[in-house]
Amino acid sequence: MEATVPGHADTHAHGHHGHPPSGLMRWVTTTNHKDIGTMYLWFSFAMFLVGGMMALTIRSELFQPGLQILEPERFNQMTTLHGLIMVFGAIMPAFVGFANWMIPMQIGAADMAFGRMNNWSFWLLPPAATLLVTSLFVPGGAAAAGWTLYAPLSVQQGMGMDMTIFAVHILGMSSIMGSINIITTILNLRAPGMNLMKMPLFVWTWLITAFLIIAVMPVLAGAVTMILTDRHFGTSFFNAAGGGDPVLFQHVFWFFGHPEVYIVVIPGFGVVSQVVSAFSRKPLFGYASMVYATASIAVLSFFVWAHHMYTVGMPVGGQLYFMYATMLIAIPTGVKVFNWIATMWRGSLSFETPMLFSLGFIFLFTMGGFSGLVLAMAPVDVQMQDTYYVVAHFHYTMVAGALFSAFSATYYWLPKWTGHMYNEKLGKVHFWLSLIFFNMTFFVQHFLGLAGMPRRIPDYALQFTEFNQISTIGAFGFGLSQLLFLYNIITCIKGGPKAPAKPWDGAEGLEWDLPSPAPYHSWETQPTVK
């Protein structure tokens, strides 16, 4: 038996002769948190491009009324896969990649707690993504029920739906294992002297997110398993003729789906907290209140699921409860925005690319929050339900929220990861193009929704043409400006100018938001590999 030291799982994964494997096998068998974090990030970017191409296909169809390039069924398959791939393939793996890279460093641990489980949780993703994408090419095509997979549609569709269910199960397994690993690492491998209230906020937000994932992923698994048995084993969970109820699916799905929205955005809160603090050159304002606000957002997210379901015929008392509970979430969210602004107040600000993306996040996420408050009102939502207003709302929270904070994190930590600086001018161009085209794409969709354009339709009335054309042009601009990002990253990795020891001048290392000096075992005092 080989004894292993916790956090050093990679010491015995080196093949028979004691040499670490090289080439492809290094990546297949690695238990190193940095390698695995890198794979997560590249995988998520690849999925971002795939999901983005689907979005552009959708927008191309909507450039003018009438059916141009997609059959209605194909159009719905595109919306389904775009949603599933962006949420489970692009955004979540990106933040797990950041977690893998940064959490051990930020808490002074040698590695993640479970090296081999870490490797496995990554390698479950490519097969799941393959299942999703290839479901387009099977008889009957991919699931066309939308990313929410609503019954009874999802019970009636072809084998692409079965592939989707299988993919969702695999993605859920990956997320749960990653979360167990993150929680164990944070709770057990912190350096001496680092108690919970001294951890960087990124670590806190991931601790909270990981608990959310473990709580709700099994719920999604239950929902899609019930669809599976309805499809193949004669059960009637969602079939009214057999005593089931299609609305039951919505309840189960959204009990997963609403916390999922916060799973997507809470790690972004952590990134923005650290970046804003760094480029304001002062500690985060109200560290403790940030931790409590994030935790209360996570707890409240379990009590608001049916605000996605105001139109299913729930009693008025139920609508009132979900309306007030939803509005309550605005309070801790407002606390966070206030704290970010107070951090910048009278700080010594500089506006490098990471800071720009974090500021873009704060501005756009706040707008998404406001449209969310509008949709929280039951009588208003009954009018807005399933219109483009909802599409605009959740893209302001998820694209502007998760994606902008992910860009911010990438630019912020890239010098640390690669030892090279990226091209700052190019980074700023990437930011401004993304900001302008993002708003061009999604801001006009509020007006489409207010005018009554339903979502998930391939054709529309003539009155919606202009706004749809603006939206489509914006989407192509946004998509193309991400190629600048890719170019900047690759040139940086291949050897941009050498990064100084503290790339963000005056922003001292990673522990800015700690109320006390960095612990002795912080990564800052560990020897760096040249």
Side-chain angles (χ1 to χ4, degrees):
M1 286 292 290
E2 296 164 296
T4 64
V5 187
H8 290 273
D10 48 340
T11 46
H12 62 283
H14 286 342
H16 295 299
H17 306 295
H19 299 301
S22 58
L24 180 66
M25 283 316 282
R26 167 190 157 188
W27 296 99
V28 174
T29 61
T30 181
T31 54
N32 176 308
H33 71 104
K34 299 176 181 178
D35 282 354
I36 293 170
T38 303
M39 291 195 297
Y40 265 110
L41 289 167
W42 278 115
F43 171 83
S44 78
F45 192 76
M47 287 293 101
F48 173 57
L49 294 182
V50 172
M53 286 192 270
M54 291 176 173
L56 293 183
T57 312
I58 292 168
R59 288 300 339 157
S60 307
E61 176 57 67
L62 292 172
F63 184 71
Q64 48 185 345
L67 294 178
Q68 281 76 239
I69 52 176
L70 290 172
E71 293 296 307
E73 178 86 354
R74 208 31 129 186
F75 182 89
N76 290 346
Q77 292 169 2
M78 283 289 163
T79 53
T80 302
L81 288 184
H82 165 69
L84 289 172
I85 284 171
M86 285 307 203
V87 172
F88 295 107
I91 295 174
M92 288 172 74
F95 282 107
V96 178
F98 295 135
N100 261 301
W101 251 104
M102 298 313 300
I103 287 175
M105 294 188 197
Q106 291 192 331
I107 63 174
D111 204 302
M112 297 292 281
F114 306 116
R116 290 177 166 182
M117 185 162 89
N118 206 8
N119 174 291
W120 192 29
S121 66
F122 171 76
W123 282 109
L124 283 173
L125 293 175
T130 309
L131 274 169
L132 277 179
V133 176
T134 48
S135 70
L136 270 171
F137 306 106
V138 299
W147 83 277
T148 52
L149 309 175
Y150 273 8
L153 259 180
S154 48
V155 178
Q156 296 157 358
Q157 282 164 355
M159 66 182 272
M161 186 69 213
D162 297 309
M163 295 170 78
T164 303
I165 289 171
F166 193 25
V168 165
H169 273 126
I170 299 173
L171 292 162
M173 285 165 60
S174 166
S175 296
I176 289 170
M177 285 197 295
S179 298
I180 290 170
N181 209 347
I182 286 167
I183 291 172
T184 311
T185 304
I186 294 172
L187 294 186
N188 294 327
L189 298 184
R190 294 193 308 283
M194 179 176 276
N195 63 34
L196 288 176
M197 292 311 277
K198 287 181 183 172
M199 300 193 306
L201 253 180
F202 180 69
V203 182
W204 253 117
T205 51
W206 247 115
L207 182 64
I208 291 165
T209 304
F211 275 109
L212 278 179
I213 289 175
I214 289 174
V216 301
M217 278 300 166
V219 178
L220 177 65
V224 295
T225 305
M226 289 194 279
I227 288 180
L228 192 72
T229 59
D230 273 13
R231 287 167 61 83
H232 299 296
F233 302 109
T235 56
S236 299
F237 290 111
F238 308 129
N239 179 5
D245 181 4
V247 177
L248 170 67
F249 177 83
Q250 298 190 27
H251 279 292
V252 180
F253 179 87
W254 285 114
F255 190 78
F256 145 82
H258 197 77
E260 169 65 26
V261 176
Y262 289 99
I263 288 168
V264 159
V265 86
I266 284 177
F269 290 162
V271 168
V272 170
S273 300
Q274 298 208 202
V275 170
V276 165
S277 160
F279 292 97
S280 305
R281 271 104 192 146
K282 51 189 277 218
L284 188 73
F285 180 90
Y287 173 91
S289 66
M290 282 301 243
V291 172
Y292 295 131
T294 312
S296 47
I297 288 172
V299 171
L300 286 171
S301 73
F302 284 99
F303 299 103
V304 297
W305 75 91
H307 67 209
H308 297 266
M309 303 167 51
Y310 284 139
T311 54
V312 300
M314 71 170 86
V316 172
Q319 293 189 18
L320 271 176
Y321 161 74
F322 283 107
M323 178 166 95
Y324 288 126
T326 303
M327 289 163 68
L328 201 60
I329 287 200
I331 297 169
T333 313
V335 168
K336 298 183 81 66
V337 174
F338 171 79
N339 283 8
W340 288 323
I341 292 169
T343 304
M344 292 183 275
W345 178 248
R346 303 185 71 171
S348 173
L349 288 119
S350 64
F351 298 99
E352 286 86 358
T353 312
M355 183 62 159
L356 288 176
F357 271 106
S358 280
L359 292 175
F361 167 97
I362 294 171
F363 171 60
L364 296 170
F365 185 79
T366 305
M367 283 183 57
F370 279 134
S371 60
L373 267 179
V374 171
L375 291 168
M377 317 280 172
V380 178
D381 182 84
V382 169
Q383 299 300 313
M384 307 284 206
Q385 169 85 10
D386 272 330
T387 68
Y388 261 84
Y389 192 90
V390 179
V391 178
H393 156 69
F394 71 74
H395 282 87
Y396 265 85
T397 52
M398 282 160 90
V399 181
L403 196 63
F404 273 50
S405 56
F407 286 145
S408 183
T410 307
Y411 284 116
Y412 183 49
W413 285 321
L414 205 60
K416 168 78 193 150
W417 297 341
T418 62
H420 301 291
M421 289 303 288
Y422 60 87
N423 181 329
E424 183 65 51
K425 240 194 203 80
L426 215 56
K428 288 186 164 135
V429 171
H430 172 225
F431 167 74
W432 286 110
L433 288 178
S434 294
L435 185 78
I436 291 163
F437 284 127
F438 169 81
N439 282 296
M440 191 172 162
T441 309
F442 294 108
F443 192 73
V444 294
Q445 293 183 4
H446 291 106
F447 305 136
L448 284 170
L450 287 166
M453 178 171 164
R455 67 200 244 196
R456 293 183 187 165
I457 53 163
D459 190 9
Y460 53 84
L462 281 171
Q463 72 209 47
F464 302 127
T465 309
E466 286 82 2
F467 281 146
N468 268 302
Q469 292 184 333
I470 293 169
S471 192
T472 296
I473 294 166
F476 274 89
F478 186 79
L480 291 171
S481 41
Q482 305 322 311
L483 298 176
L484 271 182
F485 174 65
L486 182 61
Y487 172 77
N488 204 352
I489 299 292
I490 290 173
T491 48
C492 171
I493 293 170
K494 282 196 159 165
K498 237 180 130 32
K502 291 184 177 170
W504 309 119
D505 181 39
E508 320 85 77
L510 252 182
E511 326 289 8
W512 299 284
D513 49 5
L514 296 188
S516 61
Y520 173 69
H521 290 280
S522 149
W523 64 273
E524 296 230 316
T525 57
Q526 291 178 350
T528 48
V529 182
K530 284 282 179 284

